[in-house]
């Protein structure tokens, strides 16, 4: 049940975490379908797909306002979307062979999401409530799973400039955890699970001028043995390097990713390299609506 809870919590989380009244850019072609193939490098540039390791197909359908109304994954996993008059998602139905999960989303007068309810077989399985201050900054998010009586509460505090200063996180009966945020020009430093200045996990997030994340460094502070994680991203936000170091800065492993893009800046070939050897490739065939 624990993994199922995580799945429910992640379902459409991005659409609930963001403000939903963004306009639709009709100049960008909509994806009609995707075929994603995990393949051997020997057939990477071949049209003969015999021997590929895994296959996934996605079909996209849009309404007369160019909004996604249905997504079908491998014919058996179906997402259906309904919208408010402000183009915000209000209902998502996720149907597969085993179950149907319906997510209901509610908004305040400023069109910010304030509530989400997930229902399965007519039973409420998860509720998320969000509260904002007068500047529409999120100050509280409470997640609740009725079946297990599990609750998670996140409280957010901001400085006088409206930047996130710290978070207090309470998960079930666990001790409250604190995350502290510090800012430099194009860098955000997060001190996760902060106990004191010698006991926390430091996360450094580097951004370019377009505010795209280009580098992420995770390092435990105060531990005697630990692993440092360094991630680098390309200008489209795709992971291009994943480096793991030990406490002595010795390399544990290096993963790098090379991409080939189409004219719409979507990647169509992704090659994974582990310690200088190709470890896998993904070929993505994308068709766009005309």
């Amino acid at each position: 049940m624990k993994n199922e809870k995580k799945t429910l919590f992640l379902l459409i989380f991005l659409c609930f975490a963001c403000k939903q009244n963004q306009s639709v850019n009709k100049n960008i072609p909509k994806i009609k379908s995707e075929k994603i193939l995990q393949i051997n490098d020997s057939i990477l540039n071949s049209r003969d797909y015999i021997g590929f390791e895994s296959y996934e197909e996605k079909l996209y359908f849009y309404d007369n306002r160019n909004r996604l109304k249905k997504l079908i994954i491998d014919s058996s996993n179906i997402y259906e979307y309904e919208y408010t008059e402000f183009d915000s998602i209000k209902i998502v139905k996720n149907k597969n062979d085993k179950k149907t999960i319906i997510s209901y989303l509610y908004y305040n007068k400023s069109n910010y999401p304030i509530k989400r309810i997930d229902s399965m077989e007519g039973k409420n399985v998860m509720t998320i409530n969000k509260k904002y201050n007068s500047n529409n900054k999120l100050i509280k998010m409470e997640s609740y799973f009725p079946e297990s009586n599990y609750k998670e509460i996140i409280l957010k505090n901001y400085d006088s400039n409206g930047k996130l200063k710290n978070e207090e996180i309470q998960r079930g009966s666990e001790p409250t955890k604190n995350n502290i945020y510090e800012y430099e020009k194009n860098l955000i430093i997060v001190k996760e699970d902060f106990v004191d200045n010698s006991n926390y996990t430091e996360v450094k997030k580097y951004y370019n001028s377009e505010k795209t994340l280009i580098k992420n460094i995770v390092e435990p502070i105060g531990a005697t043995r630990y692993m440092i994680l360094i991630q680098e991203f390309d200008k489209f936000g795709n992971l291009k390097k994943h480096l793991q170091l030990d406490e002595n800065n010795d390399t544990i492993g290096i993963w790098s990713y090379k991409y080939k893009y189409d004219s719409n800046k979507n990647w169509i070939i992704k090659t994974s390299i582990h310690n200088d050897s190709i470890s896998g490739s993904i070929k993505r065939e994308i068709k766009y609506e005309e």
Side-chain angles (χ1 to χ4, degrees), residues 194-240:
F194 185 85
V195 178
D196 54 44
N197 286 323
S198 60
N199 190 355
Y200 61 92
T201 298
E202 181 181 73
V203 181
K204 291 183 177 180
K205 298 178 178 290
Y206 295 84
Y207 296 83
N208 61 17
S209 57
E210 285 78 35
K211 297 184 179 180
T212 299
L213 181 66
I214 57 173
K215 191 172 184 178
N216 191 56
I217 301 177
V218 181
E219 180 178 0
I221 304 298
T224 55
R225 297 192 64 180
Y226 55 87
M227 181 176 68
I228 301 171
L229 171 64
I230 300 175
Q231 295 176 312
E232 296 181 7
F233 303 83
D234 65 17
K235 61 182 179 180
F236 302 118
N238 294 308
L239 180 65
K240 68 177 184 180

Side-chain angles (χ1 to χ4, degrees), residues 91-108:
I91 297 176
V92 177
K93 295 180 181 178
N94 175 213
K95 298 182 288 186
N96 58 38
D97 296 335
K98 297 181 179 180
K99 60 182 180 293
T100 297
I101 301 172
I102 304 177
S103 298
Y104 302 90
L105 291 88
Y106 304 87
Y107 301 83
N108 62 17

Side-chain angles (χ1 to χ4, degrees), residues 11-27:
L11 176 65
I12 64 163
F13 179 78
L14 290 178
C15 80
F16 185 71
C18 304
K19 191 168 182 279
Q20 294 298 315
N21 61 352
Q22 297 178 354
S23 60
V24 177
N25 188 342
K26 296 183 179 181
N27 295 321

Side-chain angles (χ1 to χ4, degrees), residues 130-165:
K130 303 177 82 169
K131 186 176 180 180
Y132 301 83
N133 63 18
S134 58
N135 295 317
N136 285 317
K137 295 285 188 180
L138 178 64
I139 57 175
K140 183 178 182 180
M141 184 168 76
E142 182 176 315
S143 306
Y144 179 60
F145 296 87
E147 185 175 337
S148 62
N149 199 31
Y150 174 84
K151 183 183 292 186
E152 177 177 297
I153 299 174
I154 300 176
L155 301 176
K156 296 176 177 284
N157 299 292
Y158 301 85
D159 63 19
S160 57
N161 295 316
K163 289 185 176 182
L164 182 61
K165 185 170 61 176

Side-chain angles (χ1 to χ4, degrees), residues 85-125:
E85 59 182 315
F86 302 107
D87 292 335
S88 298
I89 296 173
K90 69 176 181 180
I91 297 176
V92 177
K93 295 180 181 178
N94 175 213
K95 298 182 288 186
N96 58 38
D97 296 335
K98 297 181 179 180
K99 60 182 180 293
T100 297
I101 301 172
I102 304 177
S103 298
Y104 302 90
L105 291 88
Y106 304 87
Y107 301 83
N108 62 17
K109 293 181 179 180
S110 299
N111 202 32
Y112 284 83
I114 57 173
K115 192 182 191 74
R116 169 182 155 191
I117 298 175
D118 282 5
S119 175
M120 185 168 63
E121 298 178 353
K123 183 186 296 184
N124 181 0
V125 294

